Amino acid sequence: QDGPQRKKRKSEVGEVDKQLDILAIGTAVGSILLYSTVKGELQSKLDGGHDSRVNCVRWHQDNCCLYSCSEDKHIVEWNTQTCKVKCKWKGDNSSVTCLCISPDGKMLLSAGRTIKLWDLETKEVYRHFTGHATSVSSLMFTTVKPMNESIPFDGITGLYFLSGAIHDRLLSVWYIRSDKKEKNAVMSFAVTDEPIFVDLTVSEVKEEPVKLAVVCRDGQLHLFEHILNGYCKKPLTSNCTIQIATPGNDGDSTPKPVPILAAAFCTDKQSLLLVYGNTSQPVIEKVSLNTSEPHICLVRDIQKVLSLKTDAALTKVKTPVVNSDTKVLVPGIPGHSTAVKTPASGKEKKKNKRKPGETEESIEERLGALDIDVNKVKTPGGLPQTDSLAVLLVQGLESNDAEILNKVLNTRKENIVKNTVARMPIYAVIPLLHELTKRLQGNPYSASLMVRWLKSVFTLHASYLSTLPDLIPQLGMLYQLMESRVKTLQKLSRLHGRLFILASQVAASEAVQDVPEVNQTAKLVYEDESSEEEGSDDEMIADKDSDENWDEDEEKEEQSDEQDMTVEKEINGDSDLEPENESEEE
């Protein structure tokens, strides 16, 4: 029985050791990467928990659990052994930006703008706090035990914690009470700018003050030292401010400030680790604390440190030794016949250098030496081509450079606008539409130029735009803008439409009139005499037969015609004609 137990213990210790060297990295796509710092490689990937950007990741101090929060409003508890989601619940109505686990490991603080304290067993909210006006960027517990030792400690009641938010120059301290009445901060620390990095020493004894190091966006470090003993109305100011600057000796007499990026207390709580300089190549230095002075300025020459590193890197480059017998093949134009000269001695090197009196060869002469047709390289008339305009436009949109965008978007020629839009890459269409919408809201003169670009974008990239699922929100602002503009000119636009129809009708009738008329008079008329005679005989016979009934028929017809005429008059309202004239007309 003893053997297996010992083995199990060893494996448990091994697992804990493995866990200590793992770094959890949250990504913008929602996955979490577990990176082994000892092996220097990616160990595993946690997927399926979040749909959006991961904002904060926290390890649980006792077990192998990992907690993460995201823009998708959820908090996820991960099992890092199986790389699967252990539990997932909604943390807030908006994005959850920060997490912190309580010292006993049974509670979890989460914050978006409001701060919530969760019970990790039931996943229910234990306490609510008002929080900040902006999203919280840092959360940490400042005490391990309650200051009032007479009250029995349940693991969380009586503890203080600290919170900081973006664009907020006050760090708030909150007190966890047994009742739910008080939700506001008990004290606050004032700093000069938005806090970007916060570290503190946890107070374990009642009389021990909490030491706080806050790095602000302006590059300064503020140190606070305060005993947490209840409510404090006024914001507390820093005991000491640390700045770093260059000496300003070499040529430049004015010292320049060096930004502090981060700071952390060492285990002895009497010294600090400072991280300053460039983010890609930071300098880390251990500094002992001396809070008797209110302001400390450390002079550090960063340029020397960085220049030494770059010089050392450059010396590693080796230049190959080339003999005069060897033939070197270089990439170039097919059919290029110039011989490649290898530098044989130092004298030839000196000859290549230009003397002060000599003139440098022009690019045209150099191209001539390379047997390249100069006319092909030159652009006709020196005008910018549409492909270069398209490249310029994309560069301007990516870098948000107003000068480049003004240069491109102020072109008036329809042809150049169409060609530029046609040659644009598809991914730049939506940014261009946003830029055009922004410019349409400004000067009416610029709006008249932007409309040409809009027309080209919609005519050439309509098929791409129709495939976008979020097209309505993307073009909502533009549509509202167009609607508001058109509303003021509604009557004018109607008149324009009518005039356009009239003008098109006039143009069409003129086109019809221009067609030459066809002469429709008969060129030849042929009359048959015999048919006329036969017809007259027949008529005579018919007249004789119908003479008797003629009078009766005539009277009936006259009566009926008179009735018809009176009806027509009543309908048309015409009473100009007299009955005599009617009979004449009949």
Side-chain angles (χ1 to χ4, degrees):
Q1 285 181 353
D2 292 337
Q5 277 186 354
R6 282 177 189 169
K7 280 183 183 176
K8 193 177 180 184
R9 280 175 190 166
K10 281 179 185 176
S11 64
E12 279 176 358
V13 171
E15 280 176 9
V16 172
D17 289 343
K18 277 182 188 176
Q19 206 65 35
L20 288 173
D21 72 287
I22 291 171
L23 180 69
I25 307 163
T27 62
V29 292
S31 57
I32 297 168
L33 309 175
L34 298 181
Y35 185 84
S36 173
T37 53
V38 174
K39 294 178 184 175
E41 61 182 26
L42 193 68
Q43 184 169 304
S44 53
K45 188 178 178 182
L46 308 179
D47 272 325
H50 296 293
D51 305 327
S52 189
R53 171 196 169 96
V54 177
N55 288 326
C56 185
V57 177
R58 288 281 179 269
W59 287 104
H60 196 283
Q61 53 262 46
D62 298 333
N63 51 28
C64 298
C65 282
L66 182 74
Y67 292 90
S68 63
C69 62
S70 166
E71 294 281 329
D72 64 2
K73 310 172 188 177
H74 285 82
I75 301 169
V76 176
E77 182 181 359
W78 299 89
N79 185 343
T80 53
Q81 299 295 324
T82 58
C83 296
K84 288 181 179 177
V85 176
K86 201 172 178 183
C87 185
K88 180 178 178 178
W89 71 97
K90 190 175 180 181
D92 210 328
N93 291 328
S94 58
S95 61
V96 185
T97 53
C98 206
L99 295 175
C100 182
I101 296 163
S102 64
D104 66 345
K106 292 179 181 177
M107 295 280 181
L108 175 76
L109 279 172
S110 77
R113 287 191 179 130
T114 58
I115 303 168
K116 293 177 184 177
L117 183 65
W118 300 85
D119 187 342
L120 285 177
E121 283 185 17
T122 59
K123 305 293 186 290
E124 289 177 356
V125 178
Y126 181 71
R127 291 284 182 277
H128 273 283
F129 301 93
T130 41
H132 296 258
T134 52
S135 51
V136 175
S137 57
S138 53
L139 272 177
M140 49 188 69
F141 278 89
T142 56
T143 51
V144 179
K145 295 175 184 176
M147 294 299 166
N148 191 354
E149 292 174 358
S150 60
I151 301 168
F153 182 48
D154 62 351
I156 196 73
T157 307
L159 296 186
Y160 289 90
F161 68 90
L162 179 91
S163 71
I166 58 168
H167 310 306
D168 194 345
R169 294 192 301 168
L170 288 176
L171 289 150
S172 302
V173 178
W174 312 81
Y175 181 62
I176 302 166
R177 298 174 182 276
S178 55
D179 55 351
K180 296 183 182 182
K181 289 178 183 177
E182 189 63 46
K183 294 182 180 180
N184 297 330
V186 290
M187 65 180 76
S188 57
F189 299 103
V191 288
T192 52
D193 204 347
E194 174 192 336
I196 55 167
F197 196 91
V198 182
D199 190 46
L200 52 83
T201 61
V202 176
S203 166
E204 294 177 2
V205 193
K206 186 179 178 181
E207 289 78 21
E208 186 185 0
V210 171
K211 289 182 180 179
L212 182 66
V214 184
V215 179
C216 298
R217 195 167 288 283
D218 57 6
Q220 293 186 42
L221 169 65
H222 299 278
L223 296 174
F224 298 87
E225 195 169 330
H226 188 74
I227 297 169
L228 301 175
N229 53 2
Y231 186 75
C232 182
K233 193 174 182 181
K234 287 184 179 179
L236 301 166
T237 53
S238 60
N239 298 24
C240 177
T241 304
I242 298 175
Q243 284 179 295
I244 300 176
T246 56
N249 298 334
D250 305 330
D252 193 4
S253 58
T254 55
K256 293 179 181 176
V258 177
I260 299 172
L261 305 172
F265 287 100
C266 298
T267 48
D268 60 353
K269 298 185 182 181
Q270 297 302 317
S271 51
L272 266 175
L273 276 176
L274 291 182
V275 183
Y276 58 89
N278 191 2
T279 48
S280 59
Q281 204 173 7
V283 180
I284 302 173
E285 185 183 340
K286 191 173 181 179
V287 180
S288 60
L289 292 175
N290 182 16
T291 52
S292 60
E293 294 178 25
H295 194 95
I296 299 170
C297 185
L298 304 172
V299 178
R300 300 286 182 269
D301 194 358
I302 289 189
Q303 293 300 324
K304 279 187 178 179
V305 178
L306 296 179
S307 61
L308 281 170
K309 287 182 181 178
T310 49
D311 289 344
L314 284 170
T315 52
K316 292 179 182 177
V317 179
K318 291 183 180 179
T319 50
V321 181
V322 183
N323 297 324
S324 57
D325 302 333
T326 55
K327 188 179 180 182
V328 183
L329 298 174
V330 292
I333 296 139
H336 173 48
S337 56
T338 33
V340 178
K341 292 179 182 176
T342 52
S345 62
K347 289 178 183 177
E348 287 185 14
K349 280 184 183 177
K350 284 178 185 175
K351 281 179 186 176
N352 290 339
K353 288 183 179 178
R354 210 164 30 93
K355 289 176 184 176
E358 288 178 6
T359 55
E360 193 180 353
E361 287 183 354
S362 66
I363 293 170
E364 192 171 348
E365 287 169 0
R366 290 180 189 177
L367 292 175
L370 291 171
D371 298 334
I372 295 172
D373 190 1
V374 184
N375 294 327
K376 287 180 185 175
V377 178
K378 284 184 179 179
T379 55
L383 292 168
Q385 299 300 301
T386 48
D387 53 352
S388 64
L389 272 181
V391 172
L392 266 178
L393 182 58
V394 173
Q395 284 176 357
L397 289 169
E398 285 177 353
S399 61
N400 205 7
D401 193 333
E403 195 176 337
I404 295 174
L405 289 169
N406 288 337
K407 204 171 186 178
V408 177
L409 295 174
N410 285 342
T411 50
R412 296 186 182 185
K413 292 184 180 177
E414 292 276 347
N415 197 22
I416 291 176
V417 171
K418 277 185 183 175
N419 289 339
T420 306
V421 172
R423 294 183 185 196
M424 262 177 62
I426 290 214
Y427 63 82
V429 172
I430 292 294
L432 175 61
L433 279 174
H434 289 320
E435 182 63 32
L436 292 173
T437 307
K438 194 166 74 180
R439 285 167 181 261
L440 272 170
Q441 294 169 4
N443 195 352
Y445 172 72
S446 69
S448 64
L449 292 172
M450 296 310 116
V451 167
R452 295 175 187 179
W453 286 91
L454 269 178
K455 186 179 175 183
S456 300
V457 169
F458 286 136
T459 49
L460 294 166
H461 294 290
S463 55
Y464 164 67
L465 290 169
S466 62
T467 59
L468 295 175
D470 57 343
L471 183 63
I472 294 166
Q474 292 274 20
L475 299 181
M477 174 77 85
L478 181 63
Y479 181 72
Q480 286 173 8
L481 190 69
M482 287 162 72
E483 279 289 304
S484 62
R485 289 276 172 96
V486 172
K487 269 181 187 175
T488 56
L489 304 170
Q490 211 165 26
K491 291 181 180 178
L492 195 61
S493 59
R494 282 180 189 168
L495 180 62
H496 177 266
R498 287 172 186 170
L499 286 172
F500 180 74
I501 292 166
L502 283 170
S504 58
Q505 283 178 350
V506 169
S509 63
E510 282 175 0
V512 171
Q513 283 174 9
D514 290 344
V515 178
E517 289 185 3
V518 181
N519 188 12
Q520 293 183 352
T521 54
K523 290 183 179 179
L524 179 67
V525 180
Y526 176 73
E527 293 179 358
D528 194 357
E529 292 175 3
S530 59
S531 62
E532 275 183 11
E533 287 171 5
E534 285 172 9
S536 60
D537 293 340
D538 294 336
E539 282 169 11
M540 289 293 286
I541 296 158
D543 287 343
K544 284 176 186 177
D545 295 336
S546 61
D547 275 344
E548 296 167 5
N549 303 325
W550 178 256
D551 296 332
E552 293 174 11
D553 294 338
E554 198 171 11
E555 283 173 7
K556 286 177 185 176
E557 281 175 10
E558 280 178 4
Q559 284 172 4
S560 63
D561 287 342
E562 281 173 9
Q563 285 173 0
D564 292 339
M565 285 301 285
T566 50
V567 171
E568 280 178 10
K569 275 183 196 174
E570 285 172 7
I571 292 166
N572 299 330
D574 297 335
S575 59
D576 299 340
L577 298 173
E578 294 175 3
E580 294 172 4
N581 296 344
E582 282 173 21
S583 59
E584 283 174 11
E585 278 184 4
E586 284 170 17

